Every structure is written in structure tokens, then in C-alpha cells.
Amino acid sequence: MQVLDVDSVPTHVFELKSRTPNSSLLLVVPGSPGMGHFYVPFASRLFELGQGSFDVAVVSHAGHSPGYCRPTDGGGNDWYALEDQVAHKMAYLRDHASGKETLYLVGHSIGCYIILHMLKQIAPDRVSKVFLLFPALERMAETPNGQRLMPYFHQYLRPATALVWLVTWIPEAVRKTVLKYFHFRSTPSDHLDHMVQAAINIDSKSVYNILNMARQEMEQVTDPPLELIRDHVHKMSFYYGVDDHWTLQSCYLDMAERFSDHDIQLCTRGYPHAFVMEASTEMAGYVHSRLR
């Protein structure tokens, strides 16, 4: 993991580059929290399966990288909105991947929404395949998690941010132990360090950005962008969770009915919405199987 300047924003980026020159890039756009560390095992397995046929990059969301907070612009804008994240990922492609003629785009959760809006700005013949994993594309405020967590995105936003600041004063060894045994109990042992490191580094400033963006998601992500999907569905592979508390089951049913001749899948293996915590290897296999 390295910190790159992406559109003048210090950003954690994980890159794997083939020793053999190639013109293809598989770009992973995270969900939220949008820290690329969570996706290292997933991206590493994809790169391994690709056997050098494409490079891989995971670009963290602007403002979600611990240690950086957006300075106010005088208008009260001190966090990064969804449209900022779209511009941020486009800036990465422009400044760090301009030589890549073929793109494979992999979005997770709200990262799928960001990718769909990126497609407005990318030449169609440059995009070979789009993967939308556990997509959060509509009615987010109506989902179980949306309803349960809504107060934290509004009236509890600043208290929650302050609580995270207090937690950072707890010794790191104690926080790591708590995370390993209570939050990441189902995470494979060979992936555990990446998950814990991502969570342990989170700070109050990144949480402030994360919660503000989540609030916007509840307000803005209401109707699916059907026109965008219709224009690119022949390149898309949807993968919905069977018990996903961030996406209503009816969203899968509606999408499968609208685009019945296309690749709209429902998970039959019980993977959670946050698949990176316990099914990175399996989901990498799924993505790669549809690249061939």
C-alpha cells in the first residue's frame, strides 16, 4: 500500500503490476468505508489468477484514508461527496493509468454506484467488463442497515466521530486484540492482518468523511440509474447477496426481471455484503471466471 497524489488528495492505493508489459488494468472501487487495505487479499488473488495478463489497482476513497481531512473551502464543504469520488477515480485513471487501453472495473457496494457514473466519462471501447458486487444502487434508506444506522449519519454524526477519537487513545495492542476476537472472527487467518490494519488505522477525520458520505447515500441513492445500466449491461456482471442488509431482495428481483437476458446473479453461498472479511478468495475466483 502506498500513498499517491490523486487529484491533489493523498490517497492510499494498492497496485500490483505485471513484469510483462500489458495494456490492461483491473480497477477495484471500494464500498464504504473506502479504505483499500480491506481489499488487498481480494486484489492479490485476482492478480495471481490473472497470471500477468493485467495489472491491478485498488484506489481508496478520497478522505477515507486515515491521516487526511479535506480543508474547508469556505462554503462548509469539509468532506468528499459521491460526485467527488467519481472525479477522484477518474483522476487516477487519467494521471496514473493513461496507458491502459483496456479496463476491467470492479465495484463493491457503493463503489458500484461510483463506477456507473464513471462510465459516463470513459470511452466505451476502453471498458471490457464491469463487475458490480453486492451493489448498492437504489433505495438505500429503506434497507435494514439504512434504517438502523440513519441516526449515526445525522444527529449522532459528531458524537460518533468524537467517540472514534477517544478510542484512538486506547493502546494499539488492546484495539488489535478486540478487533481480532470480536469483529473479524470469521476472517481467514491469512487475511486477518490486512483487515485489522485497515480498521486500526481509522481516525476521527476519516470517520467524519465516511459518515457524511453515508448520509448522502441515504438521501441520493434512491432510484437505480437504469439508463446507464441499459447502455452498458452487455458488459456487466451483477452479483447480489441473498441476505444483504444494504440491498433489498426486491432490488435483485427487479434487476433480474428488467435484464433477464444478462448476467444478474444471486449468491447461493451465503457470502456477506462485506465479502472482503471472509470470502475474498472465493469472490476473486468468481470475477476471474467471467473475465475468461
Side-chain angles (χ1 to χ4, degrees), residues 2 13 33 41 91-92 164 168 204 211 231 236 244 265 281 286 291:
Q2 58 185 321
V13 177
Y92 175 82
V164 170
T168 60
S204 58
L211 293 181
D231 289 344
M236 291 180 173
D244 189 335
Q265 302 295 323
T281 298
Y286 167 80
L291 284 176

Side-chain angles (χ1 to χ4, degrees), residues 184-257:
F184 296 113
R185 295 178 65 178
S186 301
T187 302
S189 57
D190 55 338
H191 297 172
L192 187 59
D193 286 345
H194 293 290
M195 301 298 112
V196 172
Q197 196 60 46
I200 208 73
N201 284 336
I202 199 167
D203 59 19
S204 58
K205 294 177 182 178
S206 52
V207 166
Y208 180 74
N209 273 278
I210 291 164
L211 293 181
N212 268 297
M213 195 175 88
R215 175 173 52 81
Q216 185 194 19
E217 292 167 24
M218 299 303 107
E219 298 168 354
Q220 185 169 312
V221 183
T222 54
D223 300 319
L226 294 178
E227 185 176 344
L228 275 172
I229 293 171
R230 193 173 290 111
D231 289 344
H232 301 276
V233 69
H234 59 288
K235 299 179 181 180
M236 291 180 173
S237 179
F238 290 77
Y239 192 91
Y240 284 89
V242 71
D243 186 26
D244 189 335
H245 289 182
W246 279 116
T247 302
L248 299 171
Q249 190 75 37
S250 58
C251 296
Y252 159 73
L253 296 172
D254 292 345
M255 200 66 71
E257 182 178 356

Side-chain angles (χ1 to χ4, degrees), residues 90-109:
M90 290 302 302
Y92 175 82
L93 292 179
R94 180 189 68 233
D95 298 337
H96 300 277
S98 59
K100 297 301 182 182
E101 299 173 359
T102 301
L103 298 176
Y104 307 110
L105 303 177
V106 181
H108 173 223
S109 189

Side-chain angles (χ1 to χ4, degrees), residues 26-37:
L26 188 148
L27 175 66
V28 178
V29 178
S32 187
M35 284 133 19
H37 303 71

Side-chain angles (χ1 to χ4, degrees), residues 63 68-73 77-81 84 205 208-209:
Y68 179 78
C69 182
R70 179 178 188 166
T72 181
D73 61 4
N77 297 322
D78 57 353
W79 56 279
Y80 291 91
D84 297 322
K205 294 177 182 178
Y208 180 74
N209 273 278

